[in-house]
């Protein structure tokens, strides 16, 4: 793109100027939802060999070894018509009338220990055609059901060897029943499961709704998985300098105009706009955006808004989109009440990821 003439001493401005996320209301057809069930750009090239376990955390190297064995055990024919494999069953087994033992692996641990890296590595290592293995976030999976309908989702995913679910969280009872039923159908069809979460499968929903009332569904979900605990510190900030302090509105605006493909939005208005777009479309919301510039960053007003912001932060991180911000530092976005509540791990993950993206955006501002 050519650039217009700028004032002396300033950065060149792009002809069109920055776009606005608030002006976008993307529509995502069902076929795109299915086609995009692959690891996002940040994790497209990751492999088990590129995961660097912390030598102080034995659970990290053990997780790599376990997952490599799991992926090797998924080679060969799909359960439908050719026999079913048990969890870590490396040979072909006769198809039982009911599933025997867990059919999946569940990566539990704090934010920033590399769970998504490992989940994507499992997807890449599994010896099946890309069209026969699926990778998506929990919210993308539930939206797929909404787009295709339950039965068609079961038929579509039943043809897969592996379903990887990132950021597995249960935020309401409806999702609990829906996902429990869906995964049960997929296990019966011989689909292997893998998931990541910051919460053990038996504790899903705890602190968010009356989980005790849905204990049967939660226990049913837990029965599908063998949990692997991954300990460690947040690798995104291990040994790296402090995140840059927020810039001024003027600096952010100037950088947005000088950066090709940048978007520029007022933070409160963006939060309002997110309520009008389904969270499963937040990835499409950022299509073609090379940097997100935000002015007027301030505390998130309520929990519903905060959870939408978490999903946007995840999609920006997946797509490696830098975030340049003016106003409040990202570690002040969420109230103490939020950080001490049932969604605290989600909020800390969002802070961690936004901070990493802010570090990536620092170079957009001229010295």
């Amino acid at each position: 793109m050519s650039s217009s003439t700028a004032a002396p001493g300033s950065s060149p401005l792009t002809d069109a100027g920055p776009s606005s996320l608030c002006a976008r209301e993307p529509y995502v057809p069902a076929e795109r939802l299915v086609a995009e069930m692959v690891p996002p750009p940040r994790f497209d090239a990751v492999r088990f060999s590129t995961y660097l376990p912390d030598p102080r955390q034995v659970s990290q190297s053990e997780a790599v070894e376990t997952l490599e064995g799991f992926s090797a055990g998924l080679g060969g024919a799909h359960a439908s018509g050719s026999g079913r494999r048990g969890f870590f069953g490396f040979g072909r087994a006769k198809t039982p009338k009911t599933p025997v033992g867990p059919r999946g692996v569940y990566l539990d641990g704090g934010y920033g220990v590399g769970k998504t890296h490992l989940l994507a590595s499992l997807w890449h290592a599994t010896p099946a055609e890309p069209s026969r293995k699926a990778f998506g976030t929990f919210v993308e999976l539930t939206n797929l059901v909404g787009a295709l309908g339950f039965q068609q989702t079961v038929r579509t995913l039943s043809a897969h060897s592996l379903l990887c679910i990132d950021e597995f969280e249960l935020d309401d009872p409806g999702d609990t029943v829906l996902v429990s039923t869906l995964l049960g159908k997929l296990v019966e069809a011989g689909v292997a499961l893998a998931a990541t979460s910051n919460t053990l499968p038996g504790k899903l929903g705890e602190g968010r709704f009356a989980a005790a009332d849905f204990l049967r569904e939660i226990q049913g979900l837990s029965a599908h998985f063998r949990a692997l605990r991954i300990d460690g510190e947040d690798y995104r900030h291990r040994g790296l300098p402090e995140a840059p302090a927020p810039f001024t509105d003027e600096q952010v605006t100037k950088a947005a105009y000088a950066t090709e493909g940048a978007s520029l939005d007022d933070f409160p208005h963006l939060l309002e706009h997110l309520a009008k777009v389904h969270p499963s479309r937040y990835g499409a919301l950022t299509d073609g955006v090379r940097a997100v510039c935000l002015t007027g960053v301030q505390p998130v007003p309520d929990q519903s808004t905060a959870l939408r912001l978490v999903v946007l932060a995840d999609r920006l991180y997946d797509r490696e989109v830098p975030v340049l911000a003016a106003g409040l530092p990202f570690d002040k976005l969420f109230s103490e009440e939020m950080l001490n509540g049932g969604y605290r791990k989600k909020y800390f993950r969002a802070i961690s990821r936004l901070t990493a993206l802010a570090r990536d955006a620092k170079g957009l501002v001229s010295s």
Side-chain angles (χ1 to χ4, degrees), residues 76 307 360:
L307 291 171
D360 293 341

Side-chain angles (χ1 to χ4, degrees), residues 267-269 271-272 295-303 305-306 309 326-336 338:
F267 186 68
H269 291 161
L271 294 184
E272 292 176 4
T295 58
V297 174
Q298 60 188 44
V300 179
D302 57 76
Q303 190 140 264
T305 303
L309 179 60
L328 203 68
F330 287 136
D331 61 359
K332 304 296 182 184
L333 282 174
F334 308 108
S335 68
E336 287 298 318
M338 291 179 184

Side-chain angles (χ1 to χ4, degrees), residues 100-104 187 193 201-202 217-226:
V100 177
R103 277 286 299 168
V187 167
L193 308 174
E217 284 79 8
I218 292 172
Q219 288 176 337
L221 282 170
S222 180
H224 297 317
F225 297 101
R226 170 184 170 180

Side-chain angles (χ1 to χ4, degrees), residues 9-95:
S10 66
S11 300
L13 305 183
T14 59
D15 287 335
S19 62
S20 170
L21 298 182
C22 292
R24 299 182 171 199
E25 294 187 21
Y27 166 72
V28 183
E31 55 269 23
R32 175 177 169 178
L33 294 176
V34 176
E36 291 186 346
M37 292 195 76
V38 297
R42 180 179 291 273
F43 301 99
D44 184 53
V46 301
R47 300 294 187 272
F48 290 129
S49 60
T50 64
Y51 181 79
L52 303 177
D54 186 336
R56 299 168 296 177
Q57 304 293 343
V58 177
S59 61
Q60 293 188 9
S61 56
E62 288 179 343
V64 173
E65 183 179 351
T66 300
L67 290 171
E68 286 179 327
F70 184 49
S71 65
L74 294 177
H78 185 270
S80 57
S82 300
R84 183 189 309 271
R85 296 176 183 276
F87 188 78
F88 297 113
F90 299 157
R92 185 174 299 176
K94 293 181 180 180
T95 304

Side-chain angles (χ1 to χ4, degrees), residues 144-146 148-156 177-183 185:
L144 183 66
V145 178
L148 296 181
F150 183 82
Q151 295 300 334
Q152 183 58 42
T153 301
V154 171
R155 285 192 291 269
T156 299
V177 176
L178 173 68
V179 175
S180 176
T181 306
L182 174 63
L183 296 189
K185 294 288 187 182

Side-chain angles (χ1 to χ4, degrees), residues 121-144:
S121 298
L122 173 64
W123 187 92
H124 289 298
T126 297
E129 292 296 321
S131 61
R132 294 195 57 226
K133 48 188 179 180
F135 184 108
T137 64
F138 182 83
V139 69
E140 288 169 338
L141 179 62
T142 56
N143 185 59
L144 183 66

